[in-house]
Amino acid sequence: MKTSVEQVKMCVGGEWITSKEHIEVIDPQNNEIIASVPKATKEDVLHAIEEGKTGAEIAASLSVHVRMSILQKAARILDEEKEEFAITIAREGSKTIKEATNEVKRAIETLTISAEEARRISGETLAFDQRPGSEKRIGYYYRFPIGLIAAITPFNDPLNLVAHKVGPAIASGNAIIVKPATTTPLSALKLASVLEKAGLPKKILSVVTGRGSEIGSVLAAHEAIRMISFTGGVETGRKLARKAGIKKLGMELGSNSPTIVLKDANIDLAVESTVSGSFSAAGQNCIGVQRIYIEKEIYERFKTQFVARTNDYKIGNKLSPSTDMGPLITEKEAIRVESWVEEAIENGAELLCGGKRNGAFYEPTVLEKVPENCRLAYEEIFGPVVTLYAVENLDEAIAAANNVDYGLQAGIFTKNIEHAHKAIHKLNVGGIMINDSSDYRMDAMPFGGVKNSGLGREGIQFTIQEMTEPKVVCFNLK
Ligand code: NAP
């Protein structure tokens, strides 16, 4: 018997609409079709942009207390609906229910912080009289919203990464069109419905569902879009940058993050933290630990503990509260991860545990002696695979950690403050965590990378800086 699948509508300018063609949303754990969403056309996107132009004017005219109360109310509604949201995240993507529940908590915080930051958007008075001849001038600058923003988001945090763009956009008086990942569109659509219930005026927010390769360039190239706020892979980022023309770019891209463990470290803490940093969200995490550099004196002890802890990891049904790790986002992705591991092993790497695939599931996998010329050594794996390296000392660890094209975050475990300071200054990354793995993030901190890991910063008040511009006002009192 064929059961009918829920046809979820998309939100264009505040109206919930459907389209001729649909895209199925598939649970990667069992290939069950859990819903379908409209396959937006270029015309749908152009319509969203037209509505968004008016939305930008409406958004800019909302007073700060109104923006705050909409965001606070949205956070409350999200809290009331948290169980339902967690199930949606866990079903449409690859997170376990534990991980999904945590993501909803973080999204509530993201909206709450966005409400708070709305009242802190400020400027400053300027000392015009520093310039000879300007003694009679006084003035200031304030920050104004840039207008209409296109947010293009990935699958791995389908709610909180959308909240990280929508919250600051509303807080700063902008309109925004979200194009969520095609594999995980449901959380973003549910968030739009929460914001509607919270009183967000129509036209300020659209969520268009459709394939990035088909409709993304319409958003990227359109002159009415003043900023592309993108989170995703570096190749997509490059394509968007080429099409963007004159507009702001926020690029939150990938990485293959390093963590260093020195011989004076608390090894138990380092193991616990790097295991979870390597395998959370099945390794599909931009700051997930991919490379661990361990001083040779403690290498064997760390390795034994790390592998033992990894072997305890429970893979399985995402909806079971005792499961630690679910599947990858698609079987195709799991096959890619498997092939990168096989390439490393063929070239001399040693497999310490894991390495087996079952459909979209891929075991948490630990390797050592991965040769430099393998993709695993220098590219982003975006899967549950981590490599251990024995190093002579901190200098060697820093040089190796920096020897890639990415630089998002890094971690170091040490009790030595001089070593910590050396790592802080020499590691070429956007954030460094001392006695935590690279995988630590708090939603209000500035977040972003260097090199191919991106451009600009997120983390509500920093996103707001990117989404606003200073306007200078000067009174000539002569
Ligand atoms: P992706 O393939 O780059 O997709 C991201 C988004 O871009 C999706 O909405 C996708 O739409 C869209 N897209 C794809 N091709 C496009 C095009 N030609 N024009 C416009 N949009 C296009 O990335 P992903 O696989 O979803 O996510 C994984 C990547 O995101 C990893 O590299 C990860 O490190 C990175 N990431 C970075 C951060 C950070 O904050 N730095 C956070 C999370 C993830 P479709 O789904 O329709 O293809």
Side-chain angles (χ1 to χ4, degrees):
M1 192 183 73
K2 200 174 172 215
T3 51
S4 66
V5 166
E6 188 192 358
Q7 286 199 357
V8 179
K9 291 179 173 164
M10 66 181 171
C11 174
V12 175
E15 303 300 331
W16 293 86
I17 64 167
T18 185
S19 66
K20 272 200 205 126
E21 289 185 72
H22 287 81
I23 300 174
E24 290 169 342
V25 183
I26 294 169
D27 182 340
Q29 163 164 299
N30 49 18
N31 290 325
E32 189 187 332
I33 301 166
I34 56 172
S36 77
V37 293
K39 183 166 184 273
T41 58
K42 290 182 180 169
E43 288 66 37
D44 292 324
V45 177
L46 290 171
H47 180 43
I49 293 173
E50 279 314 305
E51 296 289 83
K53 286 199 265 184
T54 314
E57 287 170 23
I58 299 169
S61 71
L62 293 180
S63 52
V64 167
H65 72 85
V66 174
R67 297 179 205 168
M68 288 178 72
S69 76
I70 292 167
L71 288 162
Q72 283 158 346
K73 191 163 178 203
R76 280 199 301 276
I77 299 171
L78 189 49
D79 192 29
E80 283 157 21
E81 298 180 6
K82 57 179 179 283
E83 281 88 12
E84 208 188 302
F85 263 91
I87 291 170
T88 301
I89 292 171
R91 292 211 69 200
E92 70 173 338
S94 65
K95 284 193 172 175
T96 63
I97 193 72
K98 266 194 287 196
E99 293 169 333
T101 302
N102 192 39
E103 181 175 345
V104 183
K105 268 192 210 146
R106 286 184 55 187
I108 295 167
E109 272 176 48
T110 302
L111 293 180
T112 308
I113 302 166
S114 299
E116 279 300 308
E117 289 298 336
R119 69 162 124 230
R120 298 201 186 101
I121 303 170
S122 59
E124 59 182 7
T125 53
L126 296 167
F128 281 94
D129 59 351
Q130 66 192 278
R131 181 172 175 216
S134 285
E135 289 80 1
K136 293 283 182 207
R137 285 182 172 84
I138 59 164
Y140 59 93
Y141 75 82
Y142 69 95
R143 301 197 73 86
F144 68 94
I146 56 171
L148 181 56
I149 295 163
I152 301 179
T153 55
F155 70 84
N156 61 322
D157 285 310
L159 177 65
N160 195 32
L161 289 179
V162 176
H164 260 285
K165 299 182 189 304
V166 171
I170 294 171
S172 55
N174 289 291
I176 184 161
I177 300 171
V178 179
K179 208 255 18 112
T182 297
T183 41
T184 56
L186 302 177
S187 305
L189 291 166
K190 279 171 81 77
L191 181 64
S193 144
V194 162
L195 282 155
E196 182 181 53
K197 285 187 236 165
L200 185 71
K202 286 186 194 301
K203 300 182 196 278
I204 292 178
L205 171 66
S206 289
V207 178
V208 285
T209 52
R211 301 209 182 276
S213 52
E214 290 165 17
I215 57 170
S217 59
V218 184
L219 275 178
H222 203 289
E223 290 197 350
I225 304 278
R226 301 309 306 138
M227 174 183 186
I228 301 172
S229 174
F230 173 68
T231 303
V234 63
E235 283 316 317
T236 313
R238 280 206 180 94
K239 281 186 200 157
L240 286 168
R242 278 197 288 269
K243 295 205 171 110
I246 299 172
K247 53 174 66 83
K248 280 192 157 191
L249 292 179
M251 291 273 158
E252 297 289 333
L253 309 177
S255 192
N256 46 13
S257 300
T259 292
I260 297 170
V261 187
L262 298 184
K263 57 181 179 250
D264 63 49
N266 176 337
I267 296 184
D268 294 345
L269 174 69
V271 168
E272 198 53 39
S273 171
T274 47
V275 167
S276 108
S278 302
F279 305 126
S280 71
Q284 300 159 114
N285 181 0
C286 56
I287 48 177
V289 181
Q290 185 173 330
R291 300 172 289 139
I292 310 181
Y293 298 97
I294 306 135
E295 268 191 310
K296 64 177 193 306
E297 291 87 343
I298 54 156
Y299 184 80
E300 288 303 322
R301 179 176 160 205
F302 181 91
K303 177 170 104 177
T304 307
Q305 280 186 231
F306 192 94
V307 170
R309 182 69 191 83
T310 302
N311 282 329
D312 282 345
Y313 238 62
K314 199 169 162 222
I315 325 182
N317 180 1
K318 286 180 291 178
L319 295 177
S320 158
S322 63
T323 301
D324 296 313
M325 200 181 98
L328 275 85
I329 190 65
T330 57
E331 182 169 3
K332 191 170 161 219
E333 273 300 286
I335 292 169
R336 178 190 60 75
V337 167
E338 181 180 40
S339 74
W340 287 28
V341 170
E342 280 168 2
E343 177 198 62
I345 294 169
E346 278 159 22
N347 282 280
E350 284 179 24
L351 181 70
L352 299 175
C353 66
K356 288 200 196 71
R357 185 181 66 79
N358 178 10
F361 286 90
Y362 192 76
E363 288 179 346
T365 297
V366 187
L367 294 124
E368 65 178 349
K369 302 188 181 121
V370 171
E372 268 183 17
N373 60 346
C374 299
R375 274 173 295 186
L376 200 49
Y378 59 88
E379 264 305 338
E380 178 187 39
I381 179 79
F382 221 57
V385 181
V386 62
T387 303
L388 310 185
Y389 299 92
V391 290
E392 286 292 327
N393 52 36
L394 177 60
D395 288 334
E396 187 187 336
I398 292 173
N402 283 338
N403 192 25
V404 290
D405 293 334
Y406 295 101
L408 191 50
Q409 289 206 155
I412 179 166
F413 288 85
T414 180
K415 292 182 188 136
N416 181 318
I417 196 160
E418 283 174 26
H419 286 154
H421 272 285
K422 189 175 214 180
I424 292 165
H425 291 295
K426 299 270 183 200
L427 283 170
N428 202 1
V429 288
I432 164 143
M433 307 299 136
I434 319 300
N435 292 323
D436 255 316
S437 82
S438 58
D439 188 37
Y440 176 78
R441 181 178 184 187
M442 180 275 289
D443 290 285
M445 72 186 211
F447 184 78
V450 299
K451 300 194 272 186
N452 282 349
S453 290
L455 203 60
R457 291 292 179 268
E458 286 200 343
I460 301 99
Q461 65 161 296
F462 305 93
T463 316
I464 287 175
Q465 289 288 308
E466 310 273 351
M467 291 179 170
T468 55
E469 293 280 19
K471 184 178 278 188
V472 176
V473 179
C474 178
F475 292 84
N476 184 353
L477 303 176
K478 252 186 210 161

